Amino acid sequence: MKASIPVIEGNTTQAIQRLLINLLESGLVDALMVPMRTPAGTVTTALVSDPQLLAAADPLAPVLPVNGATLAGKLSVREPRAKVGIVLRSCEMRALVELTKMQQASLDSLLLISIDCAGTYGVPEFQRRSAGKSSTQLWQELFESATSNPEQPISALRVACQICEQPVYEGAQVRIELFGADTQQQLTLELADDLAAALPEGLASQTEGTIQRQVIVEKLVEARAGQRETEFTKIRQRLGVEGKAGDNGGVVENLTGVFAACIRCHNCMTVCPICYCKTCVFKSEVFDHEPMQFITWAKQKGAYRLPADTMLFHMTRLNHMGLSCVGCGMCTEACPAELPVGMVFRAIGQRLQQTFDYAPGRSVDEPLPLITFKADEWSEVGE
């Protein structure tokens, strides 16, 4: 069912807060996982059971401090579990689908609430910009830019958002559809009929705006996909897997050159929603080499890079999660050396996903190729 809720005095955030309050007070969920504004002005994810505290909910804040799929997995993977509503962006929803396939999350006890995404800033940039504006104002600027001039995104946006070709997620039970709506007057919802029956306050049947929404989303997707291919070409040229040396105005660095400044801090692995192993080999004694081992390697090569095993670390991660990378870009944000980790993983992952005709997060019923045996699968890809 498509419905609408009124926006009072142009306050879009308050309209969404009222919807969330209704979900709690109606008993449809026991708690809500939602971005919240802290007294210090930062935005963090919180699990809320008191409807009154939802006055601090800030689901439109254009910042992604953590991919919420990881948090949703921890709330749902084991029994007993409560009914929890989770407000997530498209990349978070798709990551949650992948974690469900890996048995690291369960959708059975979750009420998925998706929200159209016009993009996000990195945490430092968001903090700088929010010093003089509310997060709703910052979101409104991004929203207007994405809908009116998608070919030229705001340059301060996270790169992952500038090339994200999936700004909406259609598989949630409750979809807050911002694109195509007059967000100063009303918000459009797409939700199951049983949910609509339980949420009578302020809801009205809505059928308009669908075509306009489709046009806006298609233009945004086209613009972001074009920017994505431009960025992918650049990084592939740096990696030496596309074009000729110097085609990008620089030199071919190969993977070792692109990751040369890696300090193996494991930040990219820690924030990645797809890296879920409870015990990682790179945090085990396997890589606690004896001192003389380093000397032996140094004598063999003349010089040996420290910290050790950085390339093995990235190659192992690529092998583990390249197929399921949803392009959230959290790895890039967390890298202290400012390496293009996310761009490398997305560019390589895209080729891998195309080989298997696999789109991460597309459907929970679509099996993971690497754990699904098909006798003729290599003949299908020309091997």
Side-chain angles (χ1 to χ4, degrees), residues 3 46 73 265 294:
C265 63
F294 292 107

Side-chain angles (χ1 to χ4, degrees), residues 93-94 97 107 111-114 168-175 190 361-363:
M93 287 288 188
R94 288 180 282 116
V97 169
L107 301 182
L111 177 67
L112 305 184
I113 307 167
S114 68
V168 302
Y169 180 78
E170 305 290 354
Q173 295 102 314
V174 179
R175 303 203 299 269
E190 183 73 39
R362 179 163 52 192
S363 170

Side-chain angles (χ1 to χ4, degrees), residues 111-189:
L111 177 67
L112 305 184
I113 307 167
S114 68
I115 187 165
D116 289 355
C117 183
T120 60
Y121 297 109
V123 173
E125 180 68 17
F126 174 77
Q127 291 295 101
R128 185 183 70 80
R129 289 175 175 258
S130 61
K133 296 181 179 179
S134 70
S135 58
T136 303
Q137 289 175 312
L138 293 177
W139 165 79
Q140 190 67 42
E141 291 175 358
L142 286 180
F143 180 75
E144 292 175 357
S145 172
T147 54
S148 63
N149 193 18
E151 293 82 8
Q152 294 184 351
I154 296 175
S155 59
L157 272 181
R158 296 192 310 123
V159 175
C161 295
Q162 294 185 37
I163 66 171
C164 174
E165 73 282 18
Q166 298 186 62
V168 302
Y169 180 78
E170 305 290 354
Q173 295 102 314
V174 179
R175 303 203 299 269
I176 302 174
E177 298 181 342
L178 303 174
F179 294 123
D182 183 355
T183 58
Q184 298 297 301
Q185 300 296 324
Q186 65 180 20
L187 294 182
T188 302
L189 305 177

